[in-house]
Structures are given as structure tokens and as C-alpha cells.
Amino acid sequence: MAQAIDLRSDTVTRPTPAMRKAMAQAEVGDDVYREDPTVNRLEDRAAEILGREAALFVPSGTMANQIAIRVLTDLGREVICEERSHILAYEMAMMAAFSGCLARPIRALDGVMTWTALAGEIRGRSIHHARTGLISLENTSNLTGGTVYPIHVSDDICDRAHEAHLPVHLDGARIFNAAVYLGRSAAEISQKFDSVMFCLSKGLGAPVGSVLTGSQEFIDEARIVRKMLGGGMRQAGVLAAAGLVALEEGPKRLHVDHENASFLGDALADMPGIRIAPAKVMTNIVVLDVTGTGLTAAEIAKRLAARDVLASAMSPAILRMVTHYDVDRAGCERAVVALKEAVGPAVRRTVH
Ligand SMILES: *Cc1c(COP(=O)(O)O)cnc(C)c1O
């Protein structure tokens, strides 16, 4: 049987031969004592690339986001975020459980909030309302189909938030995808944020790890919170070594993933019963609204799996496909054929 075309997520990538070699040869030490030279090198390089004073290597993007929320807010505050954002919808209510914060979710077209949309939700000192403690943006926005914030929109939110004395965090799990789409550097598109996290383990291809970046003062605090969460790793240089390869090499080939996602988007756009949101696939995520097929996303995912194509059912209506370096154009072509086979008969049934 051929190997499955795995479009569930860009987290499924396996380490490249270059990563495995770097891991095998990594110089290591105890990172809790700050003695792992490879982790130190990764953190220095990540800070440099993002144009920040400092960076912290963490086991997951979830941990990075939750550390940022803890450091930047206080108990009893609200965090303004998009309704479908990862920090709210995919992180186990951790902003409440760990930081004592409540989300103030906003629904924004394609997940891209604007200052105008969120300004009315900001609350100051009051004897009735929880005060806003933080604004968090996600770029690219995962659940809305890898959509990208125009730079002026995210810059504007940061500027105005800072005027209101509010910090802004960037969940930049896929910031390098956003940078490729915008044709700008990751540093340029994120310089106004107070903290930025990005994943090494998504499209960049590392097996494990994310990085949190910000001022030295912020990262000093973040390091303590990481330890609270049990995220202090020891000879983590074996992971950081793969992370360094991912960081240096990964961004250079993300455009290929974008081209493949675009191909999927174009090929599926005129399939009966399927609607692609947003209209234009910007990065490496294709989100399909399958309501018109008469099948749930989970049913379609099951039929695809029977044809050796894996996709994620994000809700009954939404099927997600994510491109990455372990899926080539031929794989995407196979996925299109499989989807046609999977939903074709169902659509005809509902039309009659
Ligand atoms: C993947 C992802 C994260 C972090 O996920 P982990 O699995 O915890 O590394 C955070 N935000 C977004 C938008 C993501 O897609």
C-alpha cells in the first residue's frame, strides 16, 4: 500500500536527514542551568531573526502562548482574541486555569481583527467589569484557513493598544508562512508586538519545539513560568539542534507549501457542495466548508482515509488540509481525486 498523503497538519513532518545528523552531533548540557550550548545558540539565533533582545526554547506552542499570557496579564483580567483562535479554542481553557483570565472573543472576517472591531471590547478600571489585560493576535490564523494580517492592520492594533497601555501578544505559530506571503521578514511583521511565539515543529519541520521571543525582562520572567509548567528541559540540545536546522532552512521552502495549497484550493473550488474559505488560499492551510455535500467533515475524513488521504475534521462543517514538506504536488493531486470520489456520490444524492 502506498504511504498515506497526510494533510491533517504541518505538525506531522518528520525530521529531515540534516536534522537527524545535527541531533546526533549536538553538543549538550543541562539547559535548566543554562549550560546547553545548542539551546543557547537556538535562542540567540531566534532572537536575532525576530529582532528581539531574547528568546526562550519551549516544548510546545501552547506552552509558549500560556507563558506569555501569564507574564503579560494579572488574575481577573480579560484577554481579547479572535473567537476561533488557538489560545482560546485549542489550549484547554488554560488562560483561565493557569492565569485566572477570561477570554473576550471577537468574531472577525477570516480571523483578522481590526482595531475598530476590538476597541469597543476594551475595558478599563471599573467596579463592574473585568479589566482588559492583553490583546492576542494569531498570524497566520489557523482555523480560518491560514489567513494573514496585513502589516498595517497588526501594526495599528499594536500602536493603539500601547496608547491604551495594553500589551499585545502574537501567536505566530506560522509567522514565517505569513512573512513569505507578505514578502517581508518575520521581524518586520512582528516588531511592534510585546511578545512573539513561533513553532519550529510546524512548517519549518522540526520534530519538537517552539520559541517565545521578547525583551530580556519578559524572557527572564518567561523562563521562570516555563519551569512552573514543568517545561525546564535538560539536555534539550538534541531538540534544539533540529530546531536550528528548521529555523535556518525551513522558511526558504515554505513558498512550495503555499503553491501546493493554492493548487488544492483551485482544484477544489468548483467541486459541488464544497466552499473554500477564504476565497483565496494565502498560505499552507485550506479550509473547506463541506455543508453542501450533505456529509459531515468527519464522514468525509473517514472516506478519504479509506483512500489513503488524511485530512482533519475541525467541526461538522469544516474539513482542513495543510500542506508541508512531506507532501508534494503529486500527493495533492491524489488528494483532489480522493475527495472527488469521497463526496461525488453524496452530492448527487442531495441534489435529487
Ligand atoms: C499549532 C499551533 C499552536 C501550538 O501548538 P502546539 O501543538 O502546542 O505546539 C499555537 N497556535 C496556533 C495558531 C497553532 O496552529
Side-chain angles (χ1 to χ4, degrees):
M1 196 170 72
Q3 209 194 324
I5 307 297
D6 195 345
L7 294 162
R8 287 173 299 169
S9 174
D10 44 10
T11 56
V12 302
T13 50
R14 292 184 202 158
T16 60
M19 286 176 197
R20 288 185 185 271
K21 182 156 174 261
M23 293 172 85
Q25 295 174 348
E27 221 187 313
V28 296
D30 190 319
D31 179 51
V32 172
Y33 297 146
R34 312 282 307 272
E35 288 170 3
D36 189 302
T38 311
V39 172
N40 292 342
R41 210 146 49 80
L42 172 64
E43 292 179 346
D44 288 349
R45 190 68 185 117
E48 188 179 30
I49 288 172
L50 270 290
R52 296 288 161 155
E53 284 175 12
L56 183 70
F57 183 47
V58 289
S60 70
T62 298
M63 190 184 285
N65 280 336
Q66 294 304 325
I67 289 171
I69 292 170
R70 175 76 175 219
V71 173
L72 295 173
T73 59
D74 272 315
L75 284 175
R77 300 291 168 96
E78 286 189 343
V79 176
I80 295 180
C81 55
E82 212 278 334
E83 194 176 283
R84 294 153 288 182
S85 62
H86 199 279
I87 63 160
L88 173 59
Y90 284 80
E91 298 187 8
M92 316 296 300
M94 194 54 172
M95 74 168 78
F98 183 59
S99 296
C101 290
L102 210 56
R104 167 76 40 192
I106 291 176
R107 178 97 177 178
L109 180 66
D110 294 336
V112 176
M113 300 188 291
T114 59
W115 177 258
T116 317
L118 63 78
E121 303 298 327
I122 293 173
R123 285 159 185 199
R125 214 180 255 285
S126 153
I127 54 162
H128 296 295
H129 307 298
R131 223 197 296 177
T132 305
L134 177 68
I135 296 168
S136 181
L137 310 192
E138 188 174 304
N139 199 14
T140 68
S141 171
N142 180 347
L143 270 286
T144 54
T147 42
V148 177
Y149 272 86
I151 304 177
H152 68 93
V153 173
S154 50
D155 277 359
D156 182 50
I157 291 175
C158 291
D159 286 340
R160 311 273 204 117
H162 291 153
E163 283 165 23
H165 307 290
L166 279 173
V168 191
H169 170 66
L170 177 62
D171 176 347
R174 296 184 182 81
I175 190 174
F176 290 97
N177 296 86
V180 165
Y181 176 78
L182 294 167
R184 304 282 286 271
S185 71
E188 280 176 293
I189 68 172
S190 66
Q191 87 197 98
K192 289 178 184 276
F193 289 84
D194 298 87
S195 56
V196 179
M197 93 82 166
F198 68 90
C199 293
L200 296 162
S201 61
K202 301 258 164 92
L204 302 188
V208 176
S210 292
V211 179
L212 187 57
T213 67
S215 68
Q216 188 64 55
E217 193 187 353
F218 169 79
I219 292 298
D220 288 345
E221 281 303 311
R223 190 175 294 280
I224 292 166
V225 178
R226 182 185 70 173
K227 194 67 165 60
M228 288 172 80
L229 288 168
M233 297 181 284
R234 301 297 179 171
Q235 286 73 41
V238 287
L239 298 175
L244 270 163
V245 176
L247 186 57
E248 301 293 355
E249 303 302 324
K252 296 178 196 161
R253 53 152 309 285
L254 290 177
H255 66 97
V256 176
D257 298 343
H258 296 186
E259 286 154 18
N260 284 335
S262 221
F263 164 81
L264 279 176
D266 291 344
L268 302 176
D270 30 61
M271 252 177 81
I274 301 240
R275 213 157 48 80
I276 296 183
K280 180 181 179 330
V281 174
M282 296 180 182
T283 56
N284 70 327
I285 302 178
V286 185
V287 155
L288 308 171
D289 184 330
V290 298
T291 326
T293 64
L295 295 167
T296 66
E299 283 165 340
I300 295 175
K302 211 169 144 204
R303 292 179 181 202
L304 286 174
R307 291 167 172 82
D308 286 327
V309 172
L310 307 179
S312 290
M314 310 305 284
S315 72
I318 301 293
L319 188 74
R320 191 187 69 172
M321 293 180 162
V322 186
T323 55
H324 51 79
Y325 74 68
D326 278 347
V327 175
D328 58 11
R329 180 59 63 89
C332 293
E333 284 166 1
R334 256 179 67 194
V336 171
V337 172
L339 194 67
K340 281 189 176 144
E341 289 171 5
V343 307
V347 172
R348 276 196 297 278
R349 259 206 320 279
T350 51
V351 166
H352 287 309

